[in-house]
Amino acid sequence: MATSGSFSSSFGTNSKYYIILEWTRNWVDIASNTSNVTVRAYLQSGGSSYTINSSAVKYGTMHINGTDYSFSFYCSLSGNQKKEIYSQTVNIPHNSDGTKSFWMSVSGNIGISFSSGKVNTISTSGTGTLDSIPRTSSVSLSTSTATLGSTTVTVNISRASTSFTHKVYFVYGNQTITVSTNAATSCSFVPNIS
């Protein structure tokens, strides 16, 4: 799990040019179980002699968690330069248990001739795993009143994740009585008259 990461692929002469994806989690909304994430795409030169001279507009696509974003860019590049060509900020919903991994990619149609040959398309991709967002289950009772020793009380549990189990107990005065140590969606008990 993480709050940032990066992926890259090389291309061109001596594989000294790179297309890079970098992602950063900006903030978390615990109530909505969502992370806000920015993904940036870069072109980078791997040395002072590795340049790209091009004034033509190029077109690319960034994919984040199931959604595609189209953009245009210029792929001119100076030696040792790292140039951002596109960025996108999105809200990514987490799974019900607070976990989330998402797939991202970027591709561009550049049509550039290098000494090693022509490169038409560049791309890179990867999976980001976000830090989990804490989740809690909610509970309700089958009745608000009970007769000690005779009324069965059911604790209904709405789980934040199907993998969750719960310890259920009640407190009366200075007594703590455990009802269940691994309840899934419900458990029942009769309050003891003692």
Side-chain angles (χ1 to χ4, degrees):
M1 297 182 291
T3 57
S4 63
S6 65
F7 311 94
S8 65
S9 297
S10 60
F11 63 95
T13 304
N14 298 323
S15 296
K16 285 293 188 177
Y17 299 88
Y18 305 91
I19 182 168
I20 301 168
L21 268 180
E22 295 181 357
W23 66 272
T24 303
R25 188 177 76 171
N26 304 311
W27 47 260
V28 173
D29 187 329
I30 295 177
S32 65
N33 197 28
T34 299
S35 286
N36 179 269
V37 174
T38 298
V39 181
R40 292 181 170 86
Y42 298 88
L43 292 178
Q44 184 170 2
S45 160
S48 59
S49 62
Y50 296 96
T51 63
I52 297 176
N53 297 311
S54 174
S55 60
V57 178
K58 310 297 181 179
Y59 298 94
T61 302
M62 180 179 284
H63 177 100
I64 309 172
N65 196 43
T67 302
D68 289 330
Y69 305 90
S70 299
F71 63 94
S72 60
F73 66 102
Y74 294 95
C75 63
S76 58
L77 203 61
S78 303
N80 291 314
Q81 182 184 12
K82 180 180 181 181
K83 181 174 75 173
E84 182 179 311
I85 58 173
Y86 185 67
S87 69
Q88 183 67 45
T89 298
V90 297
N91 292 326
I92 298 180
H94 284 230
N95 301 318
S96 60
D97 63 355
T99 63
K100 180 61 181 179
S101 293
F102 68 101
W103 190 73
M104 70 199 89
S105 67
V106 64
S107 62
N109 298 315
I110 61 170
I112 298 294
S113 294
F114 299 90
S115 60
S116 56
K118 187 174 183 179
V119 175
N120 292 311
T121 303
I122 56 176
S123 64
T124 194
S125 63
T127 298
T129 301
L130 293 162
D131 282 352
S132 295
I133 298 176
R135 311 308 301 152
T136 58
S137 301
S138 59
V139 298
S140 63
L141 299 178
S142 61
T143 179
S144 59
T145 61
T147 300
L148 297 178
S150 63
T151 303
T152 298
V153 179
T154 299
V155 180
N156 299 301
I157 305 170
S158 178
R159 295 195 289 185
S161 168
T162 56
S163 65
F164 284 3
T165 58
H166 311 80
K167 179 180 179 181
V168 180
Y169 60 93
F170 69 94
V171 178
Y172 182 79
N174 60 0
Q175 295 186 70
T176 299
I177 296 92
T178 299
V179 177
S180 176
T181 57
N182 63 345
T185 58
S186 68
C187 62
S188 299
F189 67 99
V190 176
N192 195 306
I193 197 168
S194 64

